[in-house]
Amino acid sequence: MNIVLYPNAKINIGLRVIARRSDGYHDIETLFYPLETYKDILEIVEEDSVSISFFGLPYRLPDDNPENDLCMKAYRLLCRDFDLPPVGIYLHKGIPAGSGLGGGSSDAAFTLKGLNMLFGLKLPDDALASYAAQLGSDCAFFIYNRPMFATGRGEKLSPFASGSIDALSDSSRYAIRVHTPEIRISTREAYSEITPDAGGRGLDKMLSLPIGQWKEHITNDFETPVFKRHPEIAEIKNSLYGEGAVYASMSGSGSALYGIFEV
């Protein structure tokens, strides 16, 4: 038996770092928005032994250990509660690693979904999201894969709708263009240069403003330290506005940037 899935990317619309937590993580608020223009290809095949193989864009295994890959961790996590047979995981990378587009988290979430379908586990989305949250802060979002307002460390999700988000989803009105510089940003390093701001709350209200007003109100806290370290990334954001974007931002902790353009 086998199954083929297509894990997609995401962008962050606004990202505020609210506080440093006692567990070493940070409380944030952000909107996760699914992005279909970048995808990986994930195949899960029932085999005689457990393995994982990579193709496509360059991808370095954490510590060069397959067991540290999030897809493998997703498989091992479900194995704790279900008697799963060995599988081969074949991952073709189309989403650049270290770009802030959530490729690794998406792959992990889609591994959970794929195993659920392949072996008839019948886990509902909320149960899958609970597993996903154990793998990474934004993994649970990819279980639902629709606009979600995230708080906590990114795992507390609420469906989000507004006139602006509905408009953004209308391809006859807006297009999202993404730039992925060949610069990889360490999320840990980026957080180390952030000063949390407890007064940053209120992003959900700003997301209800017309998209044309987002430029003046919606920010990504990671841009300041990342742009300081990599001014060429700031130049790309400026170029997006120069090309007519109504809103441009870095996604996550970077380095990918996106611009929203009227069609």
Side-chain angles (χ1 to χ4, degrees):
M1 295 193 298
N2 76 304
I3 191 168
V4 179
L5 300 169
Y6 300 89
N8 58 275
K10 59 80 180 166
I11 55 173
N12 297 76
I13 304 178
L15 202 169
R16 306 304 311 274
V17 181
I18 305 302
R20 181 175 176 83
R21 297 153 48 118
S22 59
D23 60 5
Y25 289 95
H26 290 76
D27 284 326
I28 65 168
E29 58 177 17
T30 189
L31 182 82
F32 291 129
Y33 187 88
L35 189 69
E36 296 295 327
T37 50
Y38 282 89
K39 290 184 178 181
D40 292 340
I41 305 172
L42 172 69
E43 183 176 16
I44 305 173
V45 184
E46 188 173 354
E47 295 186 342
D48 294 334
S49 60
V50 178
S51 65
I52 186 166
S53 303
F54 300 94
F55 310 90
L57 293 177
Y59 176 73
R60 185 177 182 275
L61 281 168
D63 299 323
D64 295 318
N65 182 353
E67 291 294 330
N68 288 335
D69 181 78
L70 283 174
C71 294
M72 189 67 78
K73 288 184 176 182
Y75 170 76
R76 298 296 187 195
L77 185 61
L78 284 184
C79 283
R80 296 177 189 174
D81 296 330
F82 300 93
D83 185 20
L84 299 182
V87 299
I89 300 171
Y90 299 88
L91 182 63
H92 187 280
K93 291 297 295 179
I95 304 170
S99 62
L101 296 175
S105 296
S106 184
D107 296 335
F110 274 75
T111 299
L112 293 173
K113 292 197 281 189
L115 293 168
N116 188 44
M117 291 185 281
L118 187 62
F119 298 116
L121 304 182
K122 298 181 180 180
L123 292 167
D125 282 352
D126 287 350
L128 287 172
S130 180
Y131 281 111
Q134 298 177 55
L135 297 169
S137 297
D138 56 357
C139 288
F141 159 73
F142 289 102
I143 298 296
Y144 302 107
N145 227 2
R146 60 182 186 270
M148 287 278 188
F149 193 78
T151 56
R153 56 182 174 85
E155 87 288 4
K156 296 180 180 178
L157 301 168
S158 302
F160 188 89
S162 71
S164 295
I165 298 302
D166 290 344
L168 184 59
S169 302
D170 184 349
S171 60
S172 69
R173 297 182 63 184
Y174 291 98
I176 300 173
R177 188 189 308 168
V178 178
H179 283 254
T180 55
E182 293 185 3
I183 299 170
R184 298 296 168 252
I185 305 296
S186 162
T187 300
R188 182 185 300 273
E189 181 180 276
Y191 267 109
S192 71
E193 298 178 344
I194 287 283
T195 300
D197 178 9
R201 294 181 174 86
L203 176 60
D204 52 341
K205 297 180 178 62
M206 296 176 190
L207 288 164
S208 296
L209 294 171
I211 294 175
Q213 296 182 26
W214 285 2
K215 180 179 180 180
E216 306 301 327
H217 297 279
I218 296 179
T219 59
N220 179 338
D221 286 350
F222 286 104
E223 288 187 353
T224 297
V226 170
F227 289 177
K228 182 178 179 180
R229 187 180 291 268
H230 301 284
E232 62 271 39
I233 299 179
E235 291 174 6
I236 295 173
K237 179 178 177 179
N238 291 334
S239 72
L240 287 167
Y241 279 124
E243 293 166 14
V246 294
Y247 180 71
S249 176
M250 195 170 69
S251 182
S253 57
S255 61
L257 299 107
Y258 65 90
I260 298 173
F261 295 81
E262 293 179 328
V263 175

